[in-house]
Amino acid sequence: MNVIDLRSDTVTKPTAKMREVIFNAEVGDDIYGEDPSINELEAYSAELFGKEAALFVTSGTQGNTLAILSQTQPGNEVIVESNAHIFWYEGGAACAIGGVQLHPVPGTRGVMTGADVEARIRPKGNVHFPQTALVCLENTHNRAGGTYWSLDQVKEVKDVADKHGLKVHMDGARIFNASVATGTPVKEYAKYVDTVQFCLSKGLGAPVGSVLVGPKETIQKARFWRKRLGGAMRQAGIIASAGLYALQHHIDRLEDDHKLAKKLALGLKNLGLDVDPDSVKTNMVMLRFADCDRLLAKLKEKGILAGLSVPGVIRFVTHLDITEEDIDTTIKTIAELI
Ligand code: TLP
Protein backbone atom coordinates (compact mmCIF):
# COMPACT_ATOMS: atom_id res chain seq x y z
CA MET A 1 0.00 0.00 0.00
CA ASN A 2 1.25 3.50 -0.86
CA VAL A 3 1.41 5.25 2.50
CA ILE A 4 0.64 8.98 2.68
CA ASP A 5 2.63 10.07 5.71
CA LEU A 6 1.43 13.42 7.03
CA ARG A 7 2.62 12.89 10.62
CA SER A 8 5.57 15.25 10.27
CA ASP A 9 7.99 16.77 7.78
CA THR A 10 10.67 14.75 9.58
CA VAL A 11 9.63 11.61 7.64
CA THR A 12 11.04 12.62 4.25
CA LYS A 13 13.45 10.25 2.52
CA PRO A 14 16.55 11.56 0.69
CA THR A 15 15.89 12.18 -3.01
CA ALA A 16 17.87 10.32 -5.69
CA LYS A 17 20.02 13.43 -6.30
CA MET A 18 20.65 13.81 -2.57
CA ARG A 19 21.73 10.17 -2.32
CA GLU A 20 24.17 10.79 -5.15
CA VAL A 21 25.62 13.76 -3.26
CA ILE A 22 25.89 11.60 -0.12
CA PHE A 23 27.63 8.86 -2.13
CA ASN A 24 30.22 11.28 -3.44
CA ALA A 25 30.71 13.30 -0.24
CA GLU A 26 34.27 14.12 0.75
CA VAL A 27 34.82 13.26 4.38
CA GLY A 28 37.43 13.50 7.13
CA ASP A 29 37.62 13.42 10.90
CA ASP A 30 35.51 16.34 12.10
CA ILE A 31 36.94 16.26 15.61
CA TYR A 32 40.23 17.29 13.98
CA GLY A 33 38.22 19.84 11.96
CA GLU A 34 39.05 17.87 8.83
CA ASP A 35 35.70 17.00 7.31
CA PRO A 36 35.44 19.18 4.18
CA SER A 37 31.70 18.60 3.81
CA ILE A 38 30.97 19.66 7.39
CA ASN A 39 33.30 22.64 7.09
CA GLU A 40 31.51 23.70 3.92
CA LEU A 41 28.06 23.27 5.48
CA GLU A 42 29.10 25.33 8.52
CA ALA A 43 30.67 28.10 6.43
CA TYR A 44 27.65 28.21 4.11
CA SER A 45 25.22 28.34 7.06
CA ALA A 46 27.11 31.11 8.84
CA GLU A 47 27.13 33.17 5.64
CA LEU A 48 23.44 32.51 4.93
CA PHE A 49 22.46 33.72 8.40
CA GLY A 50 25.02 36.55 8.55
CA LYS A 51 26.58 35.08 11.70
CA GLU A 52 30.26 34.59 12.58
CA ALA A 53 30.13 30.84 13.04
CA ALA A 54 28.05 27.69 12.73
CA LEU A 55 28.05 24.20 14.21
CA PHE A 56 26.63 21.03 12.66
CA VAL A 57 24.70 19.11 15.33
CA THR A 58 22.85 15.84 15.50
CA SER A 59 19.32 17.17 15.93
CA GLY A 60 17.13 20.16 16.64
CA THR A 61 16.94 19.15 20.26
CA GLN A 62 20.71 19.09 20.52
CA GLY A 63 21.00 22.48 18.78
CA ASN A 64 18.52 24.08 21.17
CA THR A 65 20.16 22.48 24.19
CA LEU A 66 23.63 23.66 23.14
CA ALA A 67 22.27 27.18 22.59
CA ILE A 68 20.95 27.18 26.14
CA LEU A 69 24.08 25.60 27.65
CA SER A 70 26.38 28.09 25.96
CA GLN A 71 24.36 31.18 26.91
CA THR A 72 23.35 30.50 30.52
CA GLN A 73 24.71 29.40 33.89
CA PRO A 74 23.09 26.74 36.09
CA GLY A 75 20.35 28.36 38.18
CA ASN A 76 19.52 30.94 35.49
CA GLU A 77 16.07 31.28 34.08
CA VAL A 78 15.14 30.99 30.40
CA ILE A 79 11.94 32.55 29.07
CA VAL A 80 10.05 30.37 26.57
CA GLU A 81 6.58 30.59 25.08
CA SER A 82 4.32 28.21 27.01
CA ASN A 83 3.77 25.91 24.02
CA ALA A 84 7.43 25.91 23.00
CA HIS A 85 9.05 22.71 21.74
CA ILE A 86 11.89 23.34 24.22
CA PHE A 87 9.35 23.27 27.05
CA TRP A 88 7.25 20.34 25.86
CA TYR A 89 9.28 17.93 23.78
CA GLU A 90 12.96 18.01 24.65
CA GLY A 91 12.91 15.67 27.62
CA GLY A 92 13.65 18.47 30.07
CA ALA A 93 17.17 18.76 28.57
CA ALA A 94 17.62 22.42 29.54
CA CYS A 95 16.89 21.55 33.16
CA ALA A 96 18.52 18.10 33.33
CA ILE A 97 21.74 19.07 31.53
CA GLY A 98 21.95 22.84 31.82
CA GLY A 99 20.50 23.20 35.31
CA VAL A 100 18.36 26.10 34.16
CA GLN A 101 14.73 26.77 34.94
CA LEU A 102 12.28 27.40 32.10
CA HIS A 103 9.78 30.21 32.60
CA PRO A 104 6.82 29.63 30.25
CA VAL A 105 5.00 32.70 28.96
CA PRO A 106 1.63 32.32 27.19
CA GLY A 107 1.74 33.84 23.72
CA THR A 108 -0.75 34.36 20.91
CA ARG A 109 -0.37 31.67 18.22
CA GLY A 110 3.12 31.07 19.57
CA VAL A 111 4.22 34.70 19.56
CA MET A 112 5.13 36.61 22.74
CA THR A 113 5.05 40.39 22.79
CA GLY A 114 7.89 42.49 24.20
CA ALA A 115 5.59 43.34 27.12
CA ASP A 116 4.84 39.62 27.75
CA VAL A 117 8.56 38.97 28.01
CA GLU A 118 9.43 42.08 30.02
CA ALA A 119 6.79 41.26 32.64
CA ARG A 120 8.51 37.89 33.30
CA ILE A 121 12.10 39.14 33.61
CA ARG A 122 13.29 38.69 37.20
CA PRO A 123 14.54 41.72 39.11
CA LYS A 124 18.31 41.84 39.43
CA GLY A 125 20.13 42.06 42.72
CA ASN A 126 17.42 40.43 44.85
CA VAL A 127 18.63 37.19 46.41
CA HIS A 128 15.20 35.56 46.07
CA PHE A 129 15.09 35.46 42.32
CA PRO A 130 16.74 33.28 39.70
CA GLN A 131 18.45 35.52 37.15
CA THR A 132 16.90 35.64 33.69
CA ALA A 133 19.59 35.04 31.06
CA LEU A 134 17.95 34.01 27.80
CA VAL A 135 14.72 34.30 25.81
CA CYS A 136 13.83 31.55 23.30
CA LEU A 137 11.51 32.15 20.34
CA GLU A 138 10.13 29.41 18.08
CA ASN A 139 9.76 30.21 14.38
CA THR A 140 7.71 28.62 12.91
CA HIS A 141 5.85 27.57 16.01
CA ASN A 142 4.99 23.88 16.09
CA ARG A 143 2.18 23.52 18.64
CA ALA A 144 0.60 26.76 17.43
CA GLY A 145 0.27 25.10 14.00
CA GLY A 146 3.22 26.31 11.96
CA THR A 147 2.63 30.00 12.66
CA TYR A 148 5.44 32.46 12.09
CA TRP A 149 6.90 35.52 13.77
CA SER A 150 7.06 38.71 11.73
CA LEU A 151 10.37 40.55 11.79
CA ASP A 152 8.80 43.37 13.83
CA GLN A 153 7.62 40.89 16.45
CA VAL A 154 11.15 39.51 16.77
CA LYS A 155 12.61 43.03 16.97
CA GLU A 156 10.21 43.95 19.76
CA VAL A 157 11.44 41.06 21.92
CA LYS A 158 15.07 41.78 21.01
CA ASP A 159 14.68 45.40 22.16
CA VAL A 160 13.40 44.22 25.54
CA ALA A 161 16.17 41.61 25.80
CA ASP A 162 18.84 44.24 25.00
CA LYS A 163 17.41 46.61 27.58
CA HIS A 164 17.80 43.91 30.25
CA GLY A 165 21.08 42.40 29.03
CA LEU A 166 19.51 39.07 27.94
CA LYS A 167 20.46 36.88 25.00
CA VAL A 168 17.88 35.68 22.46
CA HIS A 169 17.83 32.23 20.84
CA MET A 170 15.55 31.29 17.97
CA ASP A 171 14.40 27.69 17.70
CA GLY A 172 14.21 27.95 13.93
CA ALA A 173 13.63 24.25 13.31
CA ARG A 174 11.39 25.49 10.48
CA ILE A 175 12.75 29.00 9.96
CA PHE A 176 12.89 28.50 6.19
CA ASN A 177 9.14 27.90 6.17
CA ALA A 178 8.76 31.22 8.00
CA SER A 179 11.17 32.92 5.63
CA VAL A 180 9.43 31.66 2.48
CA ALA A 181 5.96 32.46 3.85
CA THR A 182 6.82 36.01 4.96
CA GLY A 183 9.43 36.85 2.32
CA THR A 184 11.85 37.71 5.15
CA PRO A 185 15.41 36.49 4.47
CA VAL A 186 16.74 34.34 7.31
CA LYS A 187 19.63 36.81 7.60
CA GLU A 188 17.10 39.47 8.62
CA TYR A 189 15.58 37.27 11.32
CA ALA A 190 19.08 36.39 12.49
CA LYS A 191 20.01 40.07 12.94
CA TYR A 192 17.64 40.30 15.89
CA VAL A 193 18.63 37.13 17.75
CA ASP A 194 21.98 35.93 19.08
CA THR A 195 21.69 32.30 17.99
CA VAL A 196 19.48 30.32 15.62
CA GLN A 197 19.05 26.56 15.46
CA PHE A 198 17.62 25.30 12.17
CA CYS A 199 16.79 21.74 11.13
CA LEU A 200 18.02 20.17 7.92
CA SER A 201 15.89 17.11 8.56
CA LYS A 202 12.43 18.69 8.39
CA GLY A 203 10.96 20.52 5.39
CA LEU A 204 14.39 20.77 3.78
CA GLY A 205 14.35 17.00 3.35
CA ALA A 206 17.82 15.98 4.56
CA PRO A 207 17.95 12.74 6.55
CA VAL A 208 19.80 13.96 9.66
CA GLY A 209 21.00 17.05 11.45
CA SER A 210 20.62 20.66 12.42
CA VAL A 211 22.88 23.69 12.48
CA LEU A 212 23.41 26.22 15.27
CA VAL A 213 24.59 29.66 14.11
CA GLY A 214 25.78 32.57 16.23
CA PRO A 215 28.76 34.57 17.47
CA LYS A 216 32.17 32.82 17.32
CA GLU A 217 32.58 32.72 21.09
CA THR A 218 29.13 31.21 21.68
CA ILE A 219 29.59 28.61 18.95
CA GLN A 220 32.97 27.67 20.43
CA LYS A 221 31.26 27.04 23.77
CA ALA A 222 28.57 25.03 21.97
CA ARG A 223 31.29 22.97 20.24
CA PHE A 224 32.74 22.15 23.63
CA TRP A 225 29.31 21.13 24.95
CA ARG A 226 28.57 19.06 21.84
CA LYS A 227 31.74 17.04 22.48
CA ARG A 228 30.92 16.68 26.14
CA LEU A 229 27.47 15.32 25.25
CA GLY A 230 28.92 12.83 22.78
CA GLY A 231 27.56 14.69 19.78
CA ALA A 232 30.89 15.32 18.04
CA MET A 233 30.92 12.98 15.05
CA ARG A 234 33.73 11.80 12.83
CA GLN A 235 33.22 11.37 9.06
CA ALA A 236 29.77 12.93 9.34
CA GLY A 237 30.24 14.72 6.01
CA ILE A 238 28.20 11.75 4.76
CA ILE A 239 25.14 13.40 6.33
CA ALA A 240 26.30 17.03 6.26
CA SER A 241 26.59 16.85 2.45
CA ALA A 242 22.86 16.06 2.25
CA GLY A 243 22.17 19.05 4.50
CA LEU A 244 24.17 21.40 2.29
CA TYR A 245 22.42 20.05 -0.80
CA ALA A 246 19.06 20.65 0.90
CA LEU A 247 20.01 24.23 1.79
CA GLN A 248 21.06 24.88 -1.80
CA HIS A 249 18.10 23.20 -3.53
CA HIS A 250 15.11 22.73 -1.25
CA ILE A 251 14.28 26.13 0.23
CA ASP A 252 12.14 27.66 -2.51
CA ARG A 253 10.07 24.51 -2.90
CA LEU A 254 8.70 24.93 0.65
CA GLU A 255 6.15 27.19 -1.02
CA ASP A 256 4.64 24.03 -2.58
CA ASP A 257 4.22 22.47 0.87
CA HIS A 258 2.43 25.60 2.05
CA LYS A 259 0.06 25.51 -0.94
CA LEU A 260 -0.75 21.86 -0.28
CA ALA A 261 -1.41 22.56 3.40
CA LYS A 262 -3.82 25.33 2.41
CA LYS A 263 -5.50 23.02 -0.10
CA LEU A 264 -5.94 20.34 2.57
CA ALA A 265 -7.37 22.86 5.03
CA LEU A 266 -9.86 24.21 2.48
CA GLY A 267 -10.86 20.68 1.50
CA LEU A 268 -11.50 19.70 5.11
CA LYS A 269 -13.37 22.94 5.77
CA ASN A 270 -15.60 22.18 2.77
CA LEU A 271 -16.46 18.87 4.42
CA GLY A 272 -17.85 20.90 7.32
CA LEU A 273 -14.93 20.06 9.61
CA ASP A 274 -13.47 22.33 12.26
CA VAL A 275 -10.43 23.73 10.46
CA ASP A 276 -9.52 27.36 9.92
CA PRO A 277 -7.79 27.69 6.52
CA ASP A 278 -6.80 31.28 7.37
CA SER A 279 -4.76 30.02 10.30
CA VAL A 280 -2.68 27.83 7.97
CA LYS A 281 0.45 29.93 7.55
CA THR A 282 3.00 27.33 6.45
CA ASN A 283 3.01 23.52 6.19
CA MET A 284 0.75 22.43 9.06
CA VAL A 285 -2.98 21.90 9.28
CA MET A 286 -4.70 21.54 12.64
CA LEU A 287 -8.06 19.76 12.69
CA ARG A 288 -10.19 19.94 15.83
CA PHE A 289 -12.12 16.70 16.05
CA ALA A 290 -14.22 14.98 18.72
CA ASP A 291 -12.72 11.48 18.47
CA CYS A 292 -9.19 11.96 17.15
CA ASP A 293 -7.95 8.50 18.09
CA ARG A 294 -10.70 6.77 16.14
CA LEU A 295 -10.23 8.95 13.04
CA LEU A 296 -6.45 8.47 13.17
CA ALA A 297 -6.89 4.69 13.44
CA LYS A 298 -9.36 4.60 10.51
CA LEU A 299 -7.04 6.74 8.40
CA LYS A 300 -4.15 4.44 9.19
CA GLU A 301 -6.14 1.46 7.92
CA LYS A 302 -6.46 3.36 4.62
CA GLY A 303 -2.72 4.10 4.52
CA ILE A 304 -2.90 7.73 5.65
CA LEU A 305 -0.87 8.73 8.68
CA ALA A 306 -1.37 11.87 10.77
CA GLY A 307 -0.66 12.65 14.43
CA LEU A 308 -2.18 14.20 17.50
CA SER A 309 -0.88 17.73 18.16
CA VAL A 310 -2.67 18.54 21.41
CA PRO A 311 -5.66 16.64 22.85
CA GLY A 312 -8.59 17.02 20.45
CA VAL A 313 -6.43 18.30 17.58
CA ILE A 314 -5.02 16.26 14.69
CA ARG A 315 -1.92 17.63 12.95
CA PHE A 316 -1.24 17.11 9.24
CA VAL A 317 2.18 18.22 7.95
CA THR A 318 3.00 18.58 4.26
CA HIS A 319 6.51 18.01 2.93
CA LEU A 320 8.78 16.98 0.08
CA ASP A 321 7.25 13.51 -0.28
CA ILE A 322 3.61 14.68 -0.43
CA THR A 323 1.97 15.34 -3.80
CA GLU A 324 -1.21 17.14 -4.78
CA GLU A 325 -2.74 13.76 -5.52
CA ASP A 326 -1.94 12.63 -1.95
CA ILE A 327 -3.88 15.63 -0.65
CA ASP A 328 -6.86 14.83 -2.91
CA THR A 329 -6.79 11.23 -1.66
CA THR A 330 -6.60 12.40 1.96
CA ILE A 331 -9.61 14.72 1.58
CA LYS A 332 -11.60 12.03 -0.24
CA THR A 333 -10.78 9.39 2.36
CA ILE A 334 -11.73 11.65 5.27
CA ALA A 335 -15.00 12.49 3.48
CA GLU A 336 -15.76 8.74 3.32
CA LEU A 337 -14.84 8.16 6.95
CA ILE A 338 -16.83 10.89 8.65
N1 TLP B 1 9.52 18.45 16.16
C1 TLP B 1 8.96 17.14 15.89
C2 TLP B 1 8.51 16.48 17.19
O1 TLP B 1 9.50 16.51 18.13
C3 TLP B 1 7.28 17.07 17.78
C4 TLP B 1 7.83 17.26 14.90
O2 TLP B 1 7.41 16.21 14.38
O3 TLP B 1 7.36 18.38 14.65
N2 TLP B 1 12.06 22.54 17.48
C5 TLP B 1 10.87 22.40 16.87
C6 TLP B 1 10.02 23.59 16.68
C7 TLP B 1 10.46 21.14 16.41
O4 TLP B 1 9.27 21.02 15.84
C8 TLP B 1 11.31 20.03 16.60
C9 TLP B 1 10.90 18.66 16.17
C10 TLP B 1 12.54 20.24 17.24
C11 TLP B 1 12.89 21.51 17.69
C12 TLP B 1 13.49 19.10 17.54
O5 TLP B 1 14.08 18.59 16.42
P1 TLP B 1 14.71 17.09 16.46
O6 TLP B 1 13.54 16.17 16.29
O7 TLP B 1 15.65 17.09 15.30
O8 TLP B 1 15.39 16.93 17.75
Side-chain angles (χ1 to χ4, degrees), residues 77 79 103 114 116-124 130-133 135 160-161 163-164 166:
E77 197 161 72
I79 291 177
H103 190 149
D116 289 338
V117 170
E118 192 155 34
R120 297 331 199 277
I121 297 171
R122 307 290 193 167
K124 286 206 171 83
Q131 294 300 286
T132 314
V135 184
V160 167
K163 188 169 139 198
H164 294 271
L166 312 179

Side-chain angles (χ1 to χ4, degrees), residues 55 57-70 90 169 195-198 210-212 222:
L55 183 69
V57 298
T58 57
S59 65
T61 301
Q62 188 176 69
N64 286 336
T65 305
L66 298 183
I68 292 171
L69 290 167
S70 52
E90 301 193 0
H169 169 65
T195 49
V196 183
Q197 176 280 122
F198 64 91
S210 281
V211 179
L212 179 67

Side-chain angles (χ1 to χ4, degrees), residues 7-10 58-62 64 85-86 89-90 138 140-142 171 173-174 197 199 201-202 210 284 315:
R7 286 172 301 169
S8 182
D9 46 11
T10 57
T58 57
S59 65
T61 301
Q62 188 176 69
N64 286 336
H85 194 277
I86 289 175
Y89 303 121
E90 301 193 0
E138 188 173 314
T140 63
H141 195 289
N142 187 342
D171 174 357
R174 297 186 179 83
Q197 176 280 122
C199 291
S201 62
K202 300 209 162 53
S210 281
M284 293 186 191
R315 182 183 80 159

Side-chain angles (χ1 to χ4, degrees), residues 220-238:
Q220 193 47 40
K221 284 185 193 162
R223 195 176 284 279
F224 173 83
W225 270 108
R226 186 189 66 171
K227 179 75 182 82
R228 189 181 244 178
L229 296 176
M233 298 172 283
R234 302 287 180 176
Q235 286 72 11
I238 290 285

Side-chain angles (χ1 to χ4, degrees), residues 294-307:
R294 190 160 170 277
L295 181 57
L296 286 171
K298 290 271 170 211
L299 280 170
K300 194 173 176 184
E301 281 170 20
K302 304 275 181 190
I304 298 173
L305 304 179

Side-chain angles (χ1 to χ4, degrees), residues 3-25:
V3 173
I4 300 173
D5 195 343
L6 293 157
R7 286 172 301 169
S8 182
D9 46 11
T10 57
V11 300
T12 57
K13 308 264 168 61
T15 60
K17 185 75 194 123
M18 193 180 268
R19 285 175 192 271
E20 208 178 289
V21 168
I22 292 170
F23 183 82
N24 290 311

Side-chain angles (χ1 to χ4, degrees), residues 243-280:
L244 182 61
Y245 177 84
L247 276 179
Q248 291 171 337
H249 297 91
H250 288 172
I251 294 178
D252 292 345
R253 62 149 309 283
L254 292 171
E255 184 68 45
D256 301 341
D257 299 345
H258 300 174
K259 283 190 188 137
L260 290 186
K262 202 55 136 189
K263 181 182 164 106
L264 176 61
L266 287 167
L268 298 180
K269 178 87 189 158
N270 287 340
L271 298 178
L273 291 172
D274 190 359
V275 178
D276 174 13
D278 290 338
S279 73
V280 175

Side-chain angles (χ1 to χ4, degrees), residues 68 72 76-80 100-104 132-136:
I68 292 171
T72 60
N76 281 164
E77 197 161 72
V78 175
I79 291 177
V80 291
V100 298
Q101 174 166 300
L102 298 179
H103 190 149
T132 314
L134 180 69
V135 184
C136 296

